[in-house]
Amino acid sequence: MAKLRLLNGKLIDIIISRLSKQLIENHGEFSDSVILGLQPKGIFLAERIKSRLLELSGVELPIGYIDTTFYRDDFRRRDSPLTPNSTNVPFIIEEKKVILIDDVLYTGRSVRAAISAMLAFGRPSKVELLTLIDRKYSRDLPIEANYVGKTVNTIQSQRVIVELVEQGFEEDNIWLVNQVK
Amino acid sequence: MADLSVKHLLGIKNLTEQDLQTIFETADQFKAVINRSIKKVPSLRDITIANVFFENSTRTRLSFELAEKRLSADVINFSSASSSVKKGETLLDTVKNILSMKVDMVVMRHSSPGAPHFLAKHIDANIVNAGDGTHEHPTQALLDTYSIREKHGEVGGKKVVIIGDISHSRVALSNIFALQKLGAEVMICGPVTLLPKYISDLGVKVELDVRKALEWCDVANILRIQLERQKTKNFPSLREYSLYYGVNKKMLNALDKEITIMHPGPINRGIEITSDVADSEHSIILDQVENGVAIRMAVLFLLAQKR
């Protein structure tokens, strides 16, 4: 099984800083802005962005976690069963500028489900998407990210594996793996 | 992985402890959903569910219907009182006719023990047993144990007494199975005529004195006297039953600890439980009803994944 390292911990850290600065550029004072991390791994990146923004601009953004399980359109069409995680949005989304954060953007179906899930908490004034890895040319839906860590060209048989220290790994790594069928 | 070991929910007896935990963890998420301002998720929008009730029900039928609607399933309701069952149609024919209308899941209550098991052998839809005679009522036991877990943190190690008409109660049997699988100690208490003869073979303690039972337990689940199922007279009068087995505030005050009071409903106030106990701060009777919707959403969601 061929395994290619896309990003290591140091590069991820640099990218988090760059993405945070792009957010500062676009959101200015961050009045009415909130962060929503997608379960399961987007929440870790969302926490990292939140603390980096605090370091860089002194603003502490409200953060929530959103789980898409009950909103997915591939429920019952998958080989493996879906396991729900907790959704925790401790604020009203009404009229807020939402920054959705996920680890990998692939078909766009998770993001579509996340937008549906988010709308149960109110009508945001604007929604943006931030992703660490953008798998180009593999979208099933017309969804694109506003902030991208790294763009990679992949084929369907490949998988992107995200390992973060928050999950219990010794160091951050993102791999591209060729699956052997 | 959130996956059940069964395709139908026929009873607690054939579930594993892992199944129970999976249902509880899924129900936790649905409980959060039904406490939001928008209480609906689109998970089962391509599923049609038939609620087939051959026996009366208020709470269970409403709770299932609400759970189904909050999962965005299409729902049809059927009750035997207003159907062709009265014209002599068999159970299998009735359900096969309903299934020809492309129904994916059947929630059924029937007065004959084993009716859902019979159905599960003959049809393709997922069956959820909503009570079969005096046999099992699995979703009630799930919501009861879930409510104990919510109140006490866990079910394992807790002492639970089930008081009342054990012989005619499907709630009692399902509760015994669920509590034991989760590691709780179970006692049953009631007049000797309302206790099944060999019940202690299930590994439960048997107590005839309700005061001793209350002293022993952490949780008391009080059942209704099911007069409609009793073919012979099992005790002299309701007044006498109430005198010896009715739980009242005085009994609870005499204990040197606080115990949790549960009741699956419908309550006969003044018979098995007095109003001041049913409405006291130790009672979680209405929490049980709320949790019932979350538990049923979890069961339907998990079974739909098995299709």
Side-chain angles (χ1 to χ4, degrees):
Chain A
M1 197 165 68
K3 202 171 167 186
L4 173 75
R5 197 199 310 262
L6 292 175
L7 294 174
N8 61 20
K10 200 174 167 198
L11 278 171
I12 291 175
D13 197 59
I14 292 170
I15 288 173
I16 296 279
S17 288
R18 169 169 58 81
L19 295 175
S20 301
K21 284 176 183 164
Q22 285 178 353
L23 285 170
I24 294 170
E25 193 181 353
N26 283 349
H27 285 254
E29 300 290 311
F30 289 102
S31 54
D32 295 332
S33 300
V34 297
I35 296 177
L36 274 186
L38 262 66
Q39 289 275 24
K41 290 176 198 166
I43 63 166
F44 303 129
L45 297 168
E47 289 288 354
R48 290 190 193 186
I49 295 271
K50 176 193 152 95
S51 41
R52 191 58 49 91
L53 285 173
L54 184 62
E55 281 168 35
L56 292 171
S57 67
V59 180
E60 189 166 8
L61 279 174
I63 186 166
Y65 300 160
I66 204 128
D67 182 62
T68 63
T69 308
F70 301 140
Y71 297 86
R72 292 197 68 96
D73 57 5
D74 54 358
F75 175 64
R76 302 199 304 112
R77 290 176 183 82
R78 296 161 66 97
D79 296 332
S80 58
L82 293 165
T83 309
N85 292 297
S86 63
T87 287
N88 179 19
V89 182
F91 43 80
I92 303 290
I93 287 179
E94 198 71 30
E95 290 303 310
K96 292 283 193 297
K97 291 179 199 149
V98 176
I99 306 158
L100 281 179
I101 299 183
D102 204 3
D103 53 346
V104 180
L105 175 59
Y106 179 35
T107 59
R109 288 181 190 268
S110 294
V111 175
R112 201 280 314 152
I115 292 171
S116 297
M118 179 186 69
L119 293 177
F121 295 92
R123 179 186 181 274
S125 67
K126 187 176 182 179
V127 184
E128 291 180 324
L129 176 63
L130 181 153
T131 181
L132 193 56
I133 301 289
D134 178 5
R135 293 182 65 170
K136 231 179 163 188
Y137 310 125
S138 53
R139 221 72 82 224
D140 292 345
L141 296 169
I143 284 173
E144 292 305 331
N146 306 73
Y147 309 93
V148 176
K150 185 181 172 72
T151 304
V152 288
N153 292 336
T154 59
I155 52 174
Q156 215 181 0
S157 66
Q158 291 174 316
R159 279 184 67 203
V160 173
I161 308 231
V162 176
E163 299 175 350
L164 300 173
V165 287
E166 290 93 330
Q167 297 166 258
F169 290 98
E170 268 184 26
E171 51 179 15
D172 292 341
N173 271 310
I174 297 179
W175 308 93
L176 184 64
V177 179
N178 288 314
Q179 275 181 313
V180 187
K181 293 253 161 138
Chain B
M1 268 302 168
D3 199 9
L4 293 183
S5 65
V6 292
K7 197 183 149 214
H8 310 283
L9 181 68
L10 301 177
I12 301 292
K13 195 178 180 181
N14 46 7
L15 296 183
T16 63
E17 196 212 329
Q18 183 55 49
D19 287 335
L20 298 177
Q21 298 295 356
T22 301
I23 293 169
F24 289 170
E25 281 158 24
T26 310
D28 285 339
Q29 307 309 333
F30 282 120
K31 187 150 187 196
V33 169
I34 59 178
N35 280 297
R36 287 183 205 152
S37 50
I38 297 176
K39 300 173 176 60
K40 210 171 157 103
V41 293
S43 302
L44 300 196
R45 64 186 152 198
D46 55 345
I47 297 267
T48 306
I49 304 177
N51 297 319
V52 184
F53 280 74
F54 291 95
E55 219 184 49
N56 292 337
S57 164
T58 312
R59 220 169 324 269
T60 308
R61 193 170 54 79
L62 283 179
S63 179
F64 266 111
E65 191 172 341
L66 204 54
E68 289 151 5
K69 288 183 169 165
R70 292 199 165 146
L71 288 165
S72 305
D74 290 318
V75 180
I76 53 173
N77 288 307
F78 165 97
S79 67
S80 63
S82 56
S83 75
S84 290
V85 174
K86 289 267 184 283
K87 301 175 191 164
E89 196 173 43
T90 66
L91 168 63
L92 194 55
D93 281 336
T94 303
V95 174
K96 274 189 171 163
N97 274 282
I98 294 171
L99 291 182
S100 324
M101 302 174 204
K102 305 288 175 232
V103 168
D104 304 287
M105 300 172 91
V106 175
V107 174
M108 185 173 79
R109 168 167 288 190
H110 200 283
S111 55
S112 299
H117 303 69
F118 165 77
L119 217 54
K121 281 190 193 140
H122 290 93
I123 61 172
D124 179 46
N126 303 84
I127 313 281
V128 180
N129 181 2
D132 57 333
T134 54
H135 181 222
E136 280 226 46
H137 189 353
T139 53
Q140 181 69 43
L142 288 168
L143 74 89
D144 286 346
T145 44
Y146 182 79
S147 303
I148 295 174
R149 172 182 176 264
E150 187 179 67
K151 172 92 182 175
H152 291 275
E154 61 174 334
V155 182
K158 293 287 166 300
K159 293 175 174 173
V160 182
V161 62
I162 305 171
I163 302 171
D165 183 359
I166 311 295
S167 287
H168 301 92
S169 170
R170 51 192 170 214
V171 176
L173 191 60
S174 286
N175 256 287
I176 290 171
F177 289 140
L179 288 164
Q180 288 184 337
K181 278 176 204 281
L182 294 164
E185 278 186 77
V186 187
M187 177 187 277
I188 56 157
C189 175
V192 121
T193 48
L194 292 177
L195 304 180
K197 224 172 182 179
Y198 301 106
I199 189 85
S200 54
D201 289 358
L202 288 177
V204 300
K205 292 185 168 60
V206 178
E207 175 61 65
L208 300 179
D209 184 339
V210 74
R211 284 176 181 78
K212 283 186 189 158
L214 291 174
E215 261 165 41
W216 173 84
C217 73
D218 303 311
V219 179
N221 197 350
I222 301 163
L223 307 181
R224 180 176 63 94
I225 294 295
Q226 310 224 354
L227 282 177
E228 75 274 19
R229 287 187 207 286
Q230 299 182 9
K231 295 193 177 73
T232 53
K233 218 162 167 55
N234 292 296
F235 49 87
S237 68
L238 280 176
R239 187 169 164 271
E240 189 160 329
Y241 177 84
S242 167
L243 208 61
Y244 284 97
Y245 287 97
V247 176
N248 58 43
K249 198 73 198 232
K250 215 170 133 192
M251 285 170 161
L252 297 189
N253 289 342
L255 303 174
D256 54 1
K257 59 178 178 181
E258 288 181 1
I259 62 170
T260 304
I261 300 294
M262 300 172 69
H263 193 302
I267 301 178
N268 290 142
R269 282 176 189 262
I271 299 176
E272 72 270 11
I273 187 170
T274 56
S275 282
D276 50 6
V277 174
D279 303 331
S280 73
E281 71 272 30
H282 307 310
S283 149
I284 55 167
I285 296 172
L286 292 176
D287 299 302
Q288 287 173 266
V289 180
E290 182 188 345
N291 290 337
V293 178
I295 280 287
R296 290 179 174 113
M297 286 174 84
V299 166
L300 295 166
F301 175 82
L302 290 165
L303 286 179
Q305 298 209 67
K306 306 292 281 186
R307 282 198 67 73

